[in-house]
Amino acid sequence: MAAARATQGHVDRARRLATDPAARQRRAAVLKLPLRVEDVGGCLKAAQELVDAAAEDAKQLAEEVDDKETEEMKAALGGGQGSRMPRGTAGVMKDLEDKQKRRRTRTQRDSLDLALTDLTAFYRDVLALQLGSRVAIANADAEEALERLARAGSRSPRCAVSRRSARAGRRSTAMWRRCSRWRR
């Protein structure tokens, strides 16, 4: 139930959170970011950590799938383990490499998208707590952090909305600057 609430109805992601400890650890790390970020430098460092984690996830998935896929393609084209490939198969192998590269990039972007979705839901919960809303929070497993941020004096509802909007790609520069002091 907690995984379903945390993913806000995304069934595949909820299943993954419920069954994959690594996915739960990555999500927990993402939800700790708002507590660590106090200034622009910290924000940039956190963003780089997200990108690096996404790249590592994509690399792991690629290693699992790409080697097997490449060996299967070589076998189908008549090339054996360690032997030369028949003439005319270089194009097919190049197409496979391109497909694998696109999949790696897509996986990295999907991982970043999930992290940003988690952060958006986190700040939605902060805003709900600040406004005293009766709506159930999505991140019940991070309730202590949510309440801490909701109580913090420099994190008014207006600032929470500004940060949430910035993460969703609709940055209001003037409001962002007014709310950019990240004190605990």
Side-chain angles (χ1 to χ4, degrees), residues 38 154-155 163 176-183:
E38 294 182 9
S154 65
R155 289 174 175 82
R163 282 190 288 278
W176 181 260
R177 287 184 183 145
R178 283 194 298 267
C179 300
S180 65
R181 297 196 79 130
W182 293 60
R183 293 189 188 131

Side-chain angles (χ1 to χ4, degrees), residues 13 54 107-120:
R13 180 119 194 272
T107 302
Q108 183 174 355
R109 288 181 183 152
D110 289 348
S111 180
L112 282 172
D113 183 52
L114 290 174
L116 293 175
T117 300
D118 286 338
L119 285 173
T120 300

Side-chain angles (χ1 to χ4, degrees), residues 13-116:
R13 180 119 194 272
R15 184 178 299 121
R16 187 165 183 202
L17 281 177
T19 60
D20 184 5
R24 285 191 300 272
Q25 288 174 344
R26 281 190 298 273
R27 181 176 173 277
V30 167
L31 294 180
K32 289 178 183 175
L33 286 178
L35 297 174
R36 293 185 11 222
V37 176
E38 294 182 9
D39 57 10
V40 174
C43 185
L44 293 174
K45 183 178 177 186
Q48 187 62 51
E49 288 174 16
L50 287 177
V51 170
D52 292 344
E56 184 63 31
D57 288 346
K59 182 180 175 186
Q60 278 183 339
L61 180 66
E63 287 174 354
E64 293 171 9
V65 176
D66 291 356
D67 291 338
K68 180 182 175 190
E69 203 173 51
T70 301
E71 289 304 316
E72 288 175 357
M73 181 63 76
K74 285 181 179 180
L77 295 173
Q81 190 91 1
S83 65
R84 262 182 83 114
M85 293 296 295
R87 289 179 61 122
T89 59
V92 174
M93 293 305 294
K94 176 69 173 145
D95 289 344
L96 178 62
E97 289 170 9
D98 292 343
K99 175 185 167 190
Q100 291 171 342
K101 184 178 178 181
R102 284 191 305 274
R103 181 176 49 223
R104 204 172 303 123
T105 301
R106 184 177 61 247
T107 302
Q108 183 174 355
R109 288 181 183 152
D110 289 348
S111 180
L112 282 172
D113 183 52
L114 290 174
L116 293 175

Side-chain angles (χ1 to χ4, degrees), residues 2 6 24 27-28 31 137-146:
R24 285 191 300 272
R27 181 176 173 277
L31 294 180
I137 61 172
N139 297 292
D141 55 331
E143 191 168 1
E144 182 180 319
L146 292 168

